[in-house]
Amino acid sequence: MKPELSIVIPVYGSASILPSLVRRLEEVLVPALGADGFEVVLVHDSGPDNAWEVIRSEALTRPWLVGVDLRRNAGQHNAIMAGLGFARGRYIVTMDDDLQHDPADVPRILQTLRDGADLCYVQFEGRKHALWKRAGSRFNDMVAARLLKKPEGLYLSPFRGFVRELGEEARRYQGPFVYLDGLLVQSTSPKRIATITGQHHARSDGRSGYSLSKSISLWLQMATSFSIVPLRFVSLAGVLASCVAFLLAVVVLWQKLHSPQMAVGWPSLIITILFMGGLQLLALGVIGEYTGRVLLNINNRPQYIIGRTTNVAGRDEDDRP
């Protein structure tokens, strides 16, 4: 019998938090759905601590707890894609592993999906993230509104739920650069996307594995994997630069005709060269980003590589899928 709900959680550097997370999920979901009504898929993203041993230990007495160990770090969204391959539920919820997302909100997400929504995001009243991360999220939200055509005001939270059909549609994407929200938002109508409000809690232990460089990388994945707007922006910038350069040339020519004794200025020449050279490097960088992603797609770079599993039907925990 398949469970109604699957919860997919990428795990990185949170070995000390996992027992509390599993216990909280159990306290909330067993009374609401029964032990057979849900499953939790913990995807260990090759983190720096002993989280996999903790997952195996917690799964020994909990048949609803599935563990997946990736051979190498794949990133949050890629790890979720790996977990979707093991999720059997009619509805799927994703959340972080650090208890900043409250398990008590999971039944509310489930009810919203039961009521007819395809996709549900949890909007937080106050976020316990660093200032740079909150500012980056606002910038990412603004760009996503332009590139993904997401509904205005919708915050793309990693605490989300969606129907199985959207998960299957997302898994059809085989490229190595996964941006899950882009796949989900573009798979349904804005009117079928719902939101609920929840509390965002401070991380109880350790540090977040999401650095500034990883956030920038994720933003680039969204910008270059789901839109050609950056290429159009570079083209427009090139046109504007050409117009500015032409106007500057007309001004210099006019000044030379009216003041023959005037020498052509070295600073204006250097400024023009640097201006045009900067635009050319910008264009080459954007084109290179697209070209690199096309190359890696053609080479069939995997999204993730699965190592060990535990509590997966028909497999021993050390079997290789």
Side-chain angles (χ1 to χ4, degrees):
M1 178 180 176
K2 293 183 179 181
E4 180 183 20
L5 174 67
S6 294
I7 302 176
V8 178
I9 305 175
V11 175
Y12 184 88
S14 57
S16 61
I17 305 176
L18 285 178
S20 298
L21 172 63
V22 171
R23 185 170 60 253
R24 286 282 292 119
L25 288 170
E26 189 172 41
E27 291 172 353
V28 170
L29 297 178
V30 170
L33 298 172
D36 297 328
F38 73 98
E39 65 180 359
V40 177
V41 182
L42 298 178
V43 184
H44 179 233
D45 195 14
S46 191
D49 55 13
N50 66 331
W52 175 244
E53 285 70 25
V54 175
I55 292 173
R56 290 175 57 189
S57 175
E58 294 294 327
L60 288 176
T61 57
R62 297 177 174 91
W64 47 264
L65 182 60
V66 176
V68 180
D69 183 33
L70 301 186
R71 291 185 181 276
R72 58 176 297 174
N73 181 259
Q76 183 188 47
H77 289 235
N78 292 54
I80 292 175
M81 288 287 275
L84 293 181
F86 292 86
R88 301 175 298 154
R90 173 71 184 88
Y91 304 104
I92 300 171
V93 169
T94 70
M95 60 188 300
D96 287 347
D97 60 343
D98 52 12
L99 279 176
Q100 289 189 288
H101 299 163
D102 195 338
D105 291 326
V106 172
R108 297 171 56 219
I109 298 175
L110 176 60
Q111 188 58 51
T112 302
L113 298 176
R114 285 171 173 169
D115 290 341
D118 282 347
L119 178 60
C120 176
Y121 283 98
V122 178
Q123 313 285 287
F124 300 116
E125 295 178 350
R127 297 173 59 199
K128 307 299 182 180
H129 285 148
L131 178 61
W132 70 265
K133 195 167 185 179
R134 296 198 302 270
S137 294
R138 292 192 186 97
F139 176 74
N140 183 78
D141 184 71
M142 180 180 65
V143 175
R146 298 284 185 178
L147 302 186
L148 304 180
K149 308 300 182 184
K150 74 174 185 64
E152 185 176 355
L154 174 66
Y155 169 61
L156 299 179
S157 163
F159 198 7
R160 60 176 90 83
F162 48 91
V163 296
R164 183 174 184 82
E165 290 78 8
L166 259 64
E168 292 174 347
E169 189 66 26
R171 291 196 65 220
R172 290 177 55 192
Y173 176 74
Q174 298 299 316
F177 303 103
V178 179
Y179 185 67
L180 185 60
D181 293 302
L183 297 171
L184 295 174
V185 170
Q186 293 186 349
S187 297
T188 189
S189 168
K191 65 182 180 181
R192 299 182 69 87
I193 301 176
T195 62
I196 64 173
T197 302
Q199 293 290 331
H200 194 259
H201 303 277
R203 186 181 176 97
S204 60
D205 189 23
R207 297 176 57 187
S208 172
Y210 231 74
S211 63
L212 177 60
S213 61
K214 289 183 178 180
S215 297
I216 293 175
S217 176
L218 183 62
W219 179 83
L220 287 174
Q221 287 177 205
M222 175 192 66
T224 57
S225 297
F226 293 91
S227 175
I228 60 171
V229 169
L231 286 175
R232 290 177 177 171
F233 172 78
V234 169
S235 299
L236 178 60
V239 171
L240 293 176
S242 298
C243 293
V244 171
F246 176 77
L247 291 175
L248 288 175
V250 170
V251 170
V252 171
L253 178 60
W254 183 85
Q255 289 180 338
K256 185 66 176 178
L257 291 175
H258 285 75
S259 303
Q261 73 280 6
M262 184 188 71
V264 177
W266 178 255
S268 62
L269 178 62
I270 291 299
I271 290 172
T272 302
I273 291 175
L274 292 177
F275 181 63
M276 297 303 298
L279 283 176
Q280 290 171 353
L281 290 176
L282 173 64
L284 288 175
V286 173
I287 294 172
E289 186 75 22
Y290 277 95
T291 303
R293 293 182 186 277
V294 170
L295 175 63
L296 291 174
N297 276 290
I298 292 175
N299 288 342
N300 292 323
R301 174 180 166 180
Q303 294 175 351
Y304 51 82
I305 302 175
I306 295 175
R308 296 164 293 182
T309 61
T310 185
N311 275 356
V312 175
R315 300 176 183 173
D316 294 327
E317 68 174 4
D318 289 324
D319 281 349
R320 302 302 191 262

